[in-house]
C-alpha cells in the first residue's frame, strides 16, 4: 500500500470501533500519524495499542476550545463518531434526541471549526471528511433523530466546503450504506432480517468497514485535490434503487 499520508497527522473520531476504527487502520497503513478520539479509552487501547495518540472524550459533552491543544499540527480531520437511537417518531425520547444531535452534528461542527482555525493560523491547507449516511438523502423508519442528524451533516459539509475552499481546505463526506458495524449487529444476527435488508441492496451484500475507510482515504488524499463539497455514496447501489 502506498504511503499517501506520510508526514501528515489525521484526527479520527469514533476511532475505537466500526468505520472510525477502520479509518484509523487505513491511515496508519498509509503512513499517517493518527490521533484517535473516542469516549472508550479501553476500547481504543484494545483496538490500536500504542500505534495512535489516544484522546478520550465523550462527544455528547460540549467540545472545548482547548481539546486540540498539545496534539501537534493536524492535516486531516475525519468526523466518524455517531450514534443511532431507534424509536418511532411519536415516541422519541427528548434526551435521546438531544444526545444524537450533540454527537452527530454539534461535535463535528465544533471540531471542524477548531481544526480549520488551526490550519488558517499556520497558513496550511488540509482536508475534512465527514461520515454522513444514505440517510442524509432518504428517511428510514424509527430513525428520525439519526436521519435528521445525517441530513444536517450533509449540508454542514457543503457549507464548510463553500467557505473554506478559498483557503485551500477541502471538506467532503461519504454516505455509507449498511455496513458491518456494531450499530446493526443485532439486525445482522437475525438471518431473516439480514436477508430482507441485503435484498434491498443492488450489490446484494453489506459493506465492510474497510471499504468505507478506503473512500475516506481517497477524499482526504491529494488524489481528490479538486473535490470539495461532495458527499460520496458508498452504499452498494442503495440510492439507485
Amino acid at each position: 500500500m502506498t504511503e499517501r499520508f506520510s508526514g501528515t497527522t489525521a484526527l479520527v473520531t469514533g476511532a475505537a470501533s466500526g468505520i472510525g476504527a477502520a479509518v484509523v487502520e487505513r491511515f496508519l497503513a498509509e503512513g499517517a500519524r493518527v490521533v484517535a478520539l473516542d469516549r472508550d479509552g479501553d476500547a481504543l487501547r484494545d483496538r490500536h495499542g500504542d500505534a495512535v495518540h489516544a484522546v478520550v472524550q465523550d462527544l455528547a459533552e460540549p467540545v472545548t476550545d482547548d481539546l486540540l491543544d498539545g496534539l501537534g499540527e493536524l492535516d486531516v480531520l475525519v468526523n466518524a463518531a455517531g450514534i443511532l437511537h431507534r424509536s418511532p417518531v411519536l415516541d422519541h425520547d427528548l434526551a435521546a434526541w438531544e444526545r444524537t444531535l450533540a454527537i452527530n452534528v454539534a461535535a463535528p461542527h465544533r471540531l471542524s471549526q477548531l481544526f480549520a482555525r488551526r490550519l488558517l493560523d499556520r497558513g496550511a491547507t488540509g482536508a475534512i471528511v465527514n461520515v454522513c449516511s444514505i440517510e442524509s438523502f432518504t428517511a428510514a423508519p424509527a430513525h428520525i433523530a439519526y436521519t435528521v442528524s445525517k441530513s444536517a451533516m450533509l449540508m454542514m459539509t457543503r457549507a464548510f466546503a463553500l467557505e473554506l475552499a478559498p483557503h485551500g481546505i477541502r471538506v467532503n463526506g461519504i454516505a455509507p450504506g449498511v455496513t458491518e458495524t456494531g450499530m446493526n449487529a443485532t439486525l445482522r444476527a437475525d438471518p431473516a432480517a439480514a436477508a430482507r435488508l441485503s435484498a434491498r441492496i443492488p450489490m446484494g451484500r453489506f459493506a465492510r468497514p474497510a471499504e468505507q475507510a478506503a473512500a475516506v482515504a481517497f477524499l482526504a488524499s491529494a488524489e481528490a485535490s479538486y473535490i470539495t463539497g461532495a458527499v460520496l455514496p458508498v452504499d452498494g447501489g442503495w440510492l439507485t434503487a
Side-chain angles (χ1 to χ4, degrees), residues 135-149:
E135 292 185 47
S136 300
F137 300 94
T138 185
H143 283 198
I144 183 170
Y146 185 79
T147 299
V148 167
S149 72

Side-chain angles (χ1 to χ4, degrees), residues 130-240:
N130 294 321
V131 178
C132 301
S133 170
I134 52 172
E135 292 185 47
S136 300
F137 300 94
T138 185
H143 283 198
I144 183 170
Y146 185 79
T147 299
V148 167
S149 72
K150 291 300 184 177
S151 58
M153 181 172 260
L154 181 148
M155 292 309 301
M156 183 173 66
T157 299
R158 293 175 177 171
F160 267 91
L162 178 65
E163 294 196 37
L164 295 179
H167 304 285
I169 302 171
R170 298 182 303 103
V171 187
N172 293 293
I174 64 166
V178 184
T179 304
E180 295 172 346
T181 69
M183 189 175 283
N184 53 47
T186 301
L187 184 150
R188 289 185 291 108
D190 180 338
R196 286 194 300 270
L197 190 56
S198 61
R200 170 69 176 77
I201 303 167
M203 289 186 70
R205 66 172 179 85
F206 305 141
R208 298 182 297 275
E211 292 175 305
Q212 305 297 344
V216 170
F218 164 68
L219 289 171
S221 76
E223 295 175 61
S225 59
Y226 200 60
I227 302 175
T228 197
V231 176
L232 173 66
V234 190
D235 64 353
W238 180 287
L239 291 174
T240 67

Side-chain angles (χ1 to χ4, degrees), residues 57-143:
Q57 172 74 27
D58 185 349
L59 293 180
E61 302 299 324
V63 173
T64 58
D65 288 349
D66 61 352
L67 180 61
L68 305 187
D69 290 354
L71 300 181
E73 294 184 347
L74 301 174
D75 306 286
V76 177
L77 168 64
V78 179
N79 287 306
I83 62 168
L84 167 61
H85 176 81
R86 293 178 176 87
S87 175
V89 293
L90 298 183
D91 301 323
H92 204 290
D93 179 73
L94 178 59
W97 171 275
E98 292 176 342
R99 181 173 176 82
T100 301
L101 273 290
I103 293 171
N104 294 10
V105 182
H109 169 256
R110 188 70 179 123
L111 284 166
S112 296
Q113 282 185 320
L114 296 175
F115 171 78
R117 287 173 184 166
R118 288 167 64 97
L119 288 176
L120 293 174
D121 286 346
R122 67 182 227 253
T125 60
I128 299 171
V129 183
N130 294 321
V131 178
C132 301
S133 170
I134 52 172
E135 292 185 47
S136 300
F137 300 94
T138 185
H143 283 198

